[in-house]
Amino acid sequence: MATEKKMFLEALRKKFKESPEEKYTKFYIYEGWKQSKRKKEFVEWGTKLAKERGIPFYNPEMHLGGIPLGQRVLMPYRLSQTDIYCEGDDLHFINNAAMQQMWHDIRRTVIVGLDAAHMVLQKRLGKEVTPETVNHYLEVLNHALPGAAVIQEHMVETHPGLVSDSYVKVFTGDDELADEIDKRFLIDINKEFPADQAAQLKAAVGKRIYQVLRMPTIVAMTCDGGTMSRWSAMQISMSMVNAYKLMAGEAAIGEFAFAAKHAEVIEMGTLMPWRRARGPNEPGGVPLGYLVDICQASRVKPEDPTWVALEAISMGAVLYDQFWFGSYMSGGVGFTQYATCTYTDNVLDDFCYYGADYVKKKYGGFGKAKPSWDLIKDIATEVTLYGLEQYERFPALMETHFGGSQRAAVVAAGAGVAVSLATGNSTAGINGWYLSQLLHKEEMGRLGFYGYDQQDQCGSANSFSYRSDEGLPFNLRGVNYPNYALNVGHQSAHTGIVQAAHSGRGDAWTTNPLIKIAFADKDLKFDFTHPRLCFGKGALREFMPAGERSLIIPSR
Amino acid sequence: MAKYPDKVDLYDDRGRVFASKVPVEALSPLRNPAMQKIISYVKQCVSVNLEGIEKALATGEVGGKWCIIRGRSLKLDLVKNAESIADSLKSCLQVTKDDDTEVKVLKGGKHLLVKVPAKRLNAGVEYTTGFTATAAALCCTIVENFKVNLWDADLIHAAVWGRYPQTMEPLGGNVSSLLSVPQQNEGMGYALRNVPCAHIALITKKNAMNAAALSSILEQAAMFEMGDAIGNFERLHLLGLAYQGLNANNLVYDIVKENSKTGTLGDVAISTVKRAIADGVIKPLEKKPSGYTAYTTEDLNKWNAYAAAGLLAGTMVTCGSARSMQHCPSVFIYFNDLIERETGLPGVDFGRVAGTGVEMAFFSHSIYGGGNPAVFHGNHIVTRHSKGYAIPCVAAAVALDAGTVIYTPEKISGVVGETLSEVPELREPLRYVNEAAVSIHGGI
Amino acid sequence: MVAYKPQYYPGNSKIAKNRKKYLDPSYKLKKLRTISDDDLVKLMGHRVPGEAYKSVHPPLEEMGEPACPIRELVEPTPGAKAGDRIRYIQFTDSVYFTPLTPYMRAWMGHTRYRGVDIGVLSGRVPLEARERDLEKVAKELVETEIFDPARCGIRGATVHGHSLRLDENGMMFDALRRFVFDKKTGEVVYVKDQIGVPLDKPISVGKPIKEEELREMTSEYRVDGVPFREDKEMVEFVQRLHMLRTEAGFDPNKVKGI
């Protein structure tokens, strides 16, 4: 790729206003935090609020005994493959409502099969189940799910204005049944997916019918992930009692509850051991393949599998690196600076497209080659060295990714995505990532932060191991997988390695077809088809989230 | 009939030969009676802090730090009556008169070492029986012997069991086992990996060879329990345990000795390579244009065992010369980096020890951290990655520390380590394992 | 025992040879500058020059040691014998042709020095040792060819600079501006110690090494210097190591003669 074609150059020019090839610059002349519009806003608010609360507050003069941030350029960031530029602060999830909503939309989703409940109704209770009764039940549940009463005679309820993002929809692989479901309740596979993907998904789901339940965002914000399946199960069971006129305390009702709470439930995340100590539907329990299926880029631009992988990567960065490692696990606030490297400034995009072009030219397209040592060595080495050479060729790029962990993640992501695209095998893809890390360590003689390459040292041996807690298809691994459980800066890009293996093959889903369909829903607040654009809107403060509280608090 | 052809010479902790040509399977946790005793004792042996119970009752300070229940206290002379408590406790725990129950009074009655009879463990499926039986029997004993009434029994429970069952573990209690509650295990088969190195160092009275041996026995036995040391992978672990943990062929001791006066970690790596070449474990594969010789092996399992022994020797030389535990993660990374670059062959556990070192260095040296090496064990997200080869070195490093840390092994271990050092098989595992290996030699 | 000549490092390039040279303790590092013992102590900032070493435990002889065959065998370092605290020196090395990379600091530290604890991050390398041992090691690390005054920094915290462009004087960025370029003398002068506490008197660490010399001395592969891809022996070395580790993870018994 000629210099002019490098995807990251435009952003580099805007970030530094100097030639990206220049090796020398000036420092200490930027007036510290005053160069940043956002930091100035922080200072203004910090000063005002310190007076109001009477306790010292945000004060950049506290930084390094009076040496404030901004001794060099506090650079802006471009959301990759968008025209949006923002400040780094705007990508911290606390400052970005779109990021918060992405997580809330994932956490508040539960999928529950309806067929078992129908069997209980028909076999144990002698009730008739028809499309009409299903529609009626769904109407009842759309009343109940946000927190309203259906069978009690005296009951407190939630204010609809606070929970309007809570609803239930259904989907089925049976076109005839789908036709008879009220369109207000239907996720229409035929409408949401390209024809070939719809065919794959319908074949997988078959005649079964599934409910997709969204609990209110305000519940997701104030309770934990384990709340979700309990909340949905209570409302499902009560709505069944109401819609089918059942006796509330008979033994058969226990079977509804069992189906709704346990047997027919798919949650986005599984619970974790004591040391991670988190229940279901928390980020640490969401496997890579689920997050990839939650991302909907694959249905809107299937002709560009590399873009699809990059969109998924941005969600991985926010969920795994910024939320999970950055806050849940470490208690820190600084991981945003690090995690943005995979979805800003078109750097990873450049590396991934370079790899994709290399694969297309050398291996005749995507998903056409079987994994082999020759292939992994060839592709992973080429993309790794390409990436490292860009940092060395363009000092501004090196300065943009000023932490070694950022460079290590981005370079290895390029390598892993390329191997995945070539082979359609995500475990081969991650093996390519590990080779990349070892090459990087040797080439630069440096890699990431203190604990960065723990999984990368273990990674080669554990790629294809099949021992107790070492082997697992890569799609099913996540941040609770032993080698990955305390290892920031990897899983964002890992998401793309899973996605690329499947988007290269033209797969409608990677790991779980039900999850893929469940998020093909325009009524979700977050736009899962274009996560990077949506994060950018959040950064520009143009994103409107759910979780309204103004109805119940004094006006400002 | 032996499954594997390997035979090793057994040495003691001072490099003196004990027996020759012993089948490596005689050093397997599945076969060696002393190892099985050690594993069983880990379950059976529990320490009781009678003095702690007495204080807790006297002050009402029960169930965790700063939990002082106003208006509740009980003055019982437990320490003074330790002998009679021990007698009653023993008869309460005993299943039959001639079983293996033991209750030993230590430190003038301040502590008790309790061995719960194997029969009790055999009648259940959980290793927690050692703890639960002791704690429960102790409550019964105190209530009975001191005629505690209905209104005060809850305080006895809290002084013995801590805040359990409001908590998962006996928070603030005064009965301790080497093993933690099952909920704390990282995964299936991890129980034996959950023993902090502080305990190991104190049990073995800071003898670094025995500390490494005990730790290696527990870690490698866990590999069998986890399902890792089986089939294609069994010999890998047997050799690792023998050469690294049990000083087979005197490899560890020889390499330490060679580098004991002036050696660096790099010198230890080279000594290890030299020994592997001399013993025919590795050989040149090809000479590269630069003149560099890449090595290969016909027996990667044995190379791994040699490298693992070298790693322990490297820890002993580095942490030993500095008399400091904090160096061990650096050893894990850079011993492996150096030996890989010296030979072209994978380091210990094929990168997993280096990976463990990376994370352990981070967590023992940074704000994200979890303390000094004495609190580390193999049941942690930082350390579980190496399958039995890193933690024995941590145990040795902790044993070699002269007092560089604030949270010393003594502070971390409390009563347990000191109490369990009364069990000879735990205190001097090399000796007992060697004797047991010889005793079953013919059988294999 | 067979005669064995240590190899230290593979590779068939100038960079690989430099790496090998620095790792080989039989190669004596060239002394390029003199930093007085007192100045070094001030730069590190752990004690005042002339002040006695503080102890973390009594001298070994006084305290007595547990009966351990390894303690009997392994000679403690002078600092360990005396019970010194463990203290640090930390370096940041620029990506622009510095003599050492971070991993090189660790590898070299462990082949040349006994009883050291070295960590590696992308932009800094802490080396910890018993205080009097540390001072001895630090002397060599600062006075010899492996240290460039402009592109290597002695920094305890807020270390960043390794990946940033160089300033107009060719100096690595330092947010704390611990070191400055003295245009009159052409030397690099430390005005703050490694943690950023101002020094009572500036300490010169000498003139920056010229870039053309650094390019000869460096252990950094770079596309605008010696590209890694041109050292095929190194590329293949890493590829093979990865393949062997991967195959071993699948089945160690199958890794034979490859």
Side-chain angles (χ1 to χ4, degrees), chain A residues 273-276 330 335 441-442 449-454 457-458 461-462 465-470 481-487, chain B residues 168 183-184 186 190 194 226 228 232-233 237 337 341 350-352 355 358-359 361-363 365 368 377 379-381 384-385 387:
Chain A
W274 181 80
R275 276 173 215 283
R276 264 79 81 208
S330 70
F335 285 24
K441 175 175 175 177
E442 215 65 28
F449 70 92
Y450 226 144
Y452 180 81
D453 55 323
Q454 170 259 316
Q457 296 303 326
C458 302
N462 288 352
S465 167
Y466 53 95
R467 292 201 302 181
S468 64
D469 58 355
E470 287 167 359
Y481 181 76
N483 293 164
Y484 306 167
L486 270 181
N487 211 212
Chain B
M168 283 190 321
Q183 294 95 319
Q184 291 201 12
E186 274 285 309
Y190 269 81
N194 202 11
M226 289 167 65
D228 276 19
N232 297 351
F233 304 95
H237 289 284
D337 274 3
R341 279 149 194 79
F350 319 129
R352 296 183 187 103
V358 168
E359 197 88 286
F362 182 44
F363 279 83
H365 286 68
Y368 297 95
H377 47 70
N379 176 57
H380 193 275
I381 203 58
R384 64 185 285 188
H385 316 292
K387 293 304 180 65

Side-chain angles (χ1 to χ4, degrees), chain C residues 32-33 99 145 147-149 207-211 213-214 217:
Chain C
L32 298 187
R33 63 194 72 82
E145 61 184 307
F147 180 80
D148 173 47
K207 287 186 167 55
I209 300 173
K210 291 190 181 108
E211 173 143 334
E213 286 174 46
L214 282 173
M217 297 157 66

Side-chain angles (χ1 to χ4, degrees), chain A residues 224-515:
Chain A
D224 71 349
T227 310
M228 301 307 151
S229 65
R230 293 170 173 88
W231 182 289
S232 69
M234 289 301 286
Q235 309 313 111
I236 285 173
S237 299
M238 287 198 292
S239 297
M240 281 282 173
V241 169
N242 171 311
Y244 288 95
K245 301 199 184 336
L246 309 176
M247 192 278 215
E250 69 173 305
I253 299 300
E255 294 225 274
F256 281 131
F258 181 68
K261 271 190 187 158
H262 305 289
E264 304 303 319
V265 177
I266 294 173
E267 294 182 279
M268 299 306 108
T270 50
L271 61 82
M272 281 156 285
W274 181 80
R275 276 173 215 283
R276 264 79 81 208
R278 263 82 189 214
N281 266 21
E282 294 293 345
V286 180
L288 295 165
Y290 277 22
L291 188 61
V292 169
D293 285 332
I294 289 166
C295 182
Q296 298 290 309
S298 56
R299 68 183 166 90
V300 296
K301 210 168 167 187
E303 70 281 8
D304 189 350
T306 311
W307 177 83
V308 172
L310 287 159
E311 291 294 336
I313 284 172
S314 71
M315 283 177 46
V318 172
L319 186 71
Y320 293 137
D321 283 340
Q322 296 182 205
F323 275 92
W324 178 249
F325 288 119
S327 272
Y328 274 81
M329 290 301 280
S330 70
V333 295
F335 285 24
T336 308
Q337 183 73 60
Y338 169 6
T340 53
C341 64
T342 52
Y343 63 90
T344 55
D345 300 328
N346 282 340
V347 183
L348 179 55
D349 301 59
D350 182 87
F351 296 0
C352 284
Y353 282 106
Y354 177 85
D357 287 347
Y358 187 80
V359 167
K360 267 193 270 186
K361 276 182 207 146
K362 191 150 179 187
Y363 295 92
F366 301 145
K368 303 236 183 269
K370 287 212 161 85
S372 70
W373 279 125
D374 284 346
L375 179 145
I376 290 173
K377 283 180 189 173
D378 175 35
I379 296 174
T381 303
E382 180 52 41
V383 179
T384 300
L385 296 183
Y386 169 80
L388 293 172
E389 287 163 2
Q390 303 320 300
Y391 288 113
E392 289 156 4
R393 229 181 271 282
F394 299 101
L397 182 62
M398 183 75 90
E399 190 163 323
T400 290
H401 288 177
F402 58 87
S405 306
Q406 296 176 309
R407 300 189 294 271
V410 170
V411 169
V417 164
V419 172
S420 273
L421 284 170
T423 60
N425 181 325
S426 61
T427 313
I430 190 61
N431 189 261
W433 160 293
Y434 292 129
L435 172 56
S436 174
Q437 296 286 2
L438 299 187
L439 286 163
H440 190 149
K441 175 175 175 177
E442 215 65 28
E443 196 266 14
M444 285 197 81
R446 69 178 87 220
L447 199 59
F449 70 92
Y450 226 144
Y452 180 81
D453 55 323
Q454 170 259 316
Q455 71 158 278
D456 304 302
Q457 296 303 326
C458 302
S460 313
N462 288 352
S463 298
F464 299 107
S465 167
Y466 53 95
R467 292 201 302 181
S468 64
D469 58 355
E470 287 167 359
L472 195 63
F474 192 55
N475 296 31
L476 297 174
R477 301 182 195 182
V479 281
N480 190 46
Y481 181 76
N483 293 164
Y484 306 167
L486 270 181
N487 211 212
V488 69
H490 291 67
Q491 275 70 34
S492 55
H494 286 183
T495 316
I497 291 172
V498 172
Q499 179 64 82
H502 297 277
S503 51
R505 283 164 37 91
D507 293 338
W509 80 89
T510 72
T511 308
N512 189 320
L514 305 187
I515 289 175

Side-chain angles (χ1 to χ4, degrees), chain B residues 67-391:
Chain B
C67 289
I68 305 165
I69 304 176
R70 293 284 282 162
R72 295 293 306 274
S73 66
L74 204 55
K75 176 111 189 59
L76 302 183
D77 287 333
L78 302 183
V79 175
K80 236 188 246 171
N81 293 288
E83 292 293 346
S84 65
I85 291 173
D87 288 344
S88 306
L89 186 59
K90 184 174 178 181
S91 60
C92 190
L93 285 166
Q94 266 178 333
V95 178
T96 55
K97 286 274 178 214
D98 56 346
D99 68 18
D100 53 341
T101 311
E102 282 178 32
V103 181
K104 202 167 166 184
V105 177
L106 304 171
K107 289 205 150 189
K110 288 180 183 169
H111 303 159
L112 302 177
L113 168 63
V114 179
K115 193 163 103 197
V116 171
K119 282 178 183 164
R120 285 192 179 272
L121 278 103
N122 295 342
V125 293
E126 248 192 52
Y127 63 78
T128 46
T129 306
F131 176 90
T132 54
T134 304
L138 190 60
C139 282
C140 293
T141 300
I142 295 172
V143 167
E144 284 301 307
N145 289 17
F146 294 86
K147 305 202 180 336
V148 177
N149 65 31
L150 177 89
W151 316 111
D152 288 327
D154 59 345
L155 207 57
I156 305 292
H157 183 277
V160 172
W161 291 79
R163 202 187 301 177
Y164 183 82
Q166 168 64 21
T167 49
M168 283 190 321
E169 77 285 31
L171 179 67
N174 282 293
V175 176
S176 322
S177 158
L178 279 181
L179 301 171
S180 301
V181 295
Q183 294 95 319
Q184 291 201 12
N185 294 336
E186 274 285 309
M188 290 183 275
Y190 269 81
L192 283 171
R193 304 193 72 185
N194 202 11
V195 182
C197 289
H199 292 333
I200 303 286
L202 292 187
I203 291 170
T204 52
K205 301 245 177 221
K206 297 194 179 175
N207 173 316
M209 291 293 277
N210 275 319
L214 179 58
S215 175
S216 185
I217 290 163
L218 299 181
E219 280 274 299
Q220 297 292 358
M223 296 309 128
F224 284 86
E225 198 168 9
M226 289 167 65
D228 276 19
I230 200 163
N232 297 351
F233 304 95
E234 184 177 14
R235 185 168 167 269
L236 174 77
H237 289 284
L238 285 176
L239 293 174
L241 171 56
Y243 283 88
Q244 185 191 47
L246 304 172
N247 190 32
N249 293 356
N250 215 27
L251 197 52
V252 171
Y253 193 89
D254 279 347
I255 297 174
V256 172
K257 194 172 174 192
E258 197 179 322
N259 295 284
S260 60
K261 301 297 171 211
T262 58
T264 63
L265 184 64
D267 295 331
V268 174
I270 287 161
S271 296
T272 309
V273 172
K274 277 156 68 175
R275 181 78 179 253
I277 295 169
D279 292 356
V281 178
I282 63 172
K283 62 183 183 189
L285 176 69
E286 58 175 331
K287 204 169 200 130
K288 298 289 182 183
S290 67
Y292 176 85
T293 301
Y295 282 81
T296 187
T297 178
E298 296 297 320
D299 189 349
L300 193 68
N301 295 315
K302 194 175 262 187
W303 162 246
N304 183 65
Y306 269 59
L311 180 80
L312 178 59
T315 311
M316 288 170 163
V317 168
T318 302
C319 297
S321 59
R323 294 294 198 271
S324 156
M325 61 173 86
Q326 72 174 58
H327 298 48
C328 57
S330 186
V331 170
F332 298 165
I333 310 170
Y334 301 111
F335 175 84
N336 284 299
D337 274 3
L338 291 172
I339 209 163
E340 285 181 340
R341 279 149 194 79
E342 186 66 35
T343 61
L345 287 165
V348 187
D349 217 1
F350 319 129
R352 296 183 187 103
V353 168
T356 302
V358 168
E359 197 88 286
M360 187 176 169
F362 182 44
F363 279 83
S364 58
H365 286 68
S366 80
I367 59 167
Y368 297 95
N372 69 49
V375 301
F376 279 72
H377 47 70
N379 176 57
H380 193 275
I381 203 58
V382 164
T383 52
R384 64 185 285 188
H385 316 292
S386 172
K387 293 304 180 65
Y389 303 100
I391 295 300

Side-chain angles (χ1 to χ4, degrees), chain C:
Chain C
M1 197 73 72
V2 287
Y4 178 80
K5 192 169 179 302
Q7 311 195 89
Y8 296 108
Y9 203 79
N12 198 21
S13 62
K14 185 171 72 188
I15 305 300
K17 289 191 173 74
N18 282 344
R19 290 187 179 188
K20 182 171 173 161
K21 181 173 78 179
Y22 296 138
L23 294 186
D24 180 355
S26 69
Y27 169 76
K28 191 165 167 42
L29 298 167
K30 284 183 206 132
K31 187 173 167 181
L32 298 187
R33 63 194 72 82
T34 299
I35 313 289
S36 74
D37 291 354
D38 284 357
D39 281 351
L40 194 64
V41 166
K42 284 185 195 167
L43 275 175
M44 288 195 283
H46 302 308
R47 66 182 180 109
V48 175
E51 183 190 6
Y53 293 103
K54 294 189 177 79
S55 307
V56 66
H57 58 73
L60 297 179
E61 273 187 16
E62 280 178 27
M63 65 185 276
E65 294 204 82
C68 166
I70 300 302
R71 291 199 195 216
E72 289 165 24
L73 214 53
V74 177
E75 176 80 14
T77 64
K81 250 184 221 168
D84 290 357
R85 298 175 308 174
I86 296 173
R87 305 307 298 133
Y88 71 90
I89 187 166
Q90 182 164 264
F91 292 92
T92 297
D93 297 287
S94 165
V95 296
Y96 295 109
F97 302 108
T98 48
L100 295 182
T101 72
Y103 282 114
M104 277 298 296
R105 280 200 183 273
W107 297 334
M108 192 202 79
H110 278 302
T111 59
R112 288 176 182 267
Y113 312 118
R114 184 170 155 91
V116 288
D117 173 20
I118 308 172
V120 170
L121 298 89
S122 67
R124 60 189 175 105
V125 181
L127 184 151
E128 296 186 56
R130 298 282 191 161
E131 197 162 349
R132 75 191 66 197
D133 307 335
L134 171 72
E135 287 174 6
K136 209 171 153 206
V137 170
K139 188 102 172 139
E140 188 166 53
L141 294 178
V142 179
E143 287 190 336
T144 63
E145 61 184 307
I146 52 176
F147 180 80
D148 173 47
R151 301 189 190 191
C152 305
I154 307 168
R155 304 177 177 184
T158 317
V159 296
H160 208 77
H162 83 272
S163 56
L164 270 50
R165 292 165 292 173
L166 303 171
D167 76 7
E168 61 271 38
N169 299 311
M171 300 269 288
M172 182 167 58
F173 172 77
D174 178 11
L176 294 185
R177 283 192 272 182
R178 276 161 279 226
F179 67 173
V180 292
F181 183 69
D182 184 336
K183 284 188 179 154
K184 276 188 211 152
T185 60
E187 290 183 350
V188 175
V189 174
Y190 274 77
V191 293
K192 296 177 184 173
D193 70 9
Q194 63 174 341
I195 202 71
V197 175
L199 294 163
D200 48 4
K201 246 179 22 195
I203 295 170
S204 170
V205 288
K207 287 186 167 55
I209 300 173
K210 291 190 181 108
E211 173 143 334
E212 55 270 30
E213 286 174 46
L214 282 173
R215 282 173 175 265
E216 291 303 309
M217 297 157 66
T218 188
S219 58
E220 291 179 354
Y221 288 97
R222 284 186 58 91
V223 72
D224 53 353
V226 178
F228 189 68
R229 69 166 75 228
E230 285 177 13
D231 193 341
K232 289 204 163 43
E233 188 175 313
M234 277 314 302
V235 174
E236 286 169 11
F237 171 83
V238 180
Q239 289 174 331
R240 176 173 176 259
L241 189 62
H242 169 69
M243 179 274 290
L244 290 172
R245 284 180 173 192
T246 306
E247 292 281 357
F250 171 69
D251 185 353
N253 303 299
K254 292 204 168 79
V255 181
K256 281 181 193 286
I258 55 173

Side-chain angles (χ1 to χ4, degrees), chain A residues 4-120:
Chain A
E4 311 76 61
K5 297 269 176 65
K6 306 284 182 200
M7 294 178 72
F8 47 76
L9 286 180
E10 192 187 323
L12 293 184
R13 288 190 188 108
K14 287 218 168 128
K15 288 164 91 83
F16 298 108
K17 300 185 180 67
E18 287 172 293
S19 164
E21 284 101 336
E22 182 53 55
K23 195 169 132 187
Y24 296 92
T25 189
K26 284 189 190 310
F27 300 118
Y28 324 115
I29 56 169
Y30 297 98
E31 294 189 87
W33 54 268
K34 288 178 191 145
Q35 63 180 293
S36 155
K37 192 177 141 200
R38 195 62 72 221
K39 304 277 188 210
K40 281 199 277 193
E41 183 188 335
F42 290 177
V43 172
E44 200 180 301
W45 277 81
T47 311
K48 188 177 78 167
L49 292 170
K51 272 187 203 147
E52 273 177 39
R53 70 184 204 176
I55 303 169
F57 196 22
Y58 181 79
N59 174 7
E61 297 307 315
M62 288 295 102
H63 186 259
L64 284 174
I67 299 173
L69 286 164
Q71 296 302 307
R72 58 179 169 114
V73 174
L74 288 173
M75 55 195 166
Y77 292 85
R78 177 185 189 175
L79 273 295
S80 293
Q81 300 210 43
T82 76
D83 293 325
I84 298 173
Y85 282 83
C86 65
E87 298 209 31
D89 300 314
D90 300 325
L91 298 174
H92 194 296
F93 71 79
I94 294 295
N95 302 331
N96 190 308
M99 291 178 173
Q100 295 164 11
Q101 192 63 51
M102 178 198 79
W103 166 228
H104 293 146
D105 282 353
I106 296 170
R107 174 192 252 176
R108 68 197 185 93
T109 295
V110 170
I111 302 171
V112 182
L114 251 184
D115 298 309
H118 290 166
M119 216 182 294
V120 175

Side-chain angles (χ1 to χ4, degrees), chain A residues 127-150:
Chain A
K127 300 282 179 182
E128 195 185 10
V129 178
T130 66
E132 290 72 30
T133 64
V134 172
N135 284 331
H136 173 61
Y137 158 75
L138 290 170
E139 190 157 3
V140 172
L141 185 51
N142 270 301
H143 159 77
L145 190 66
V150 281

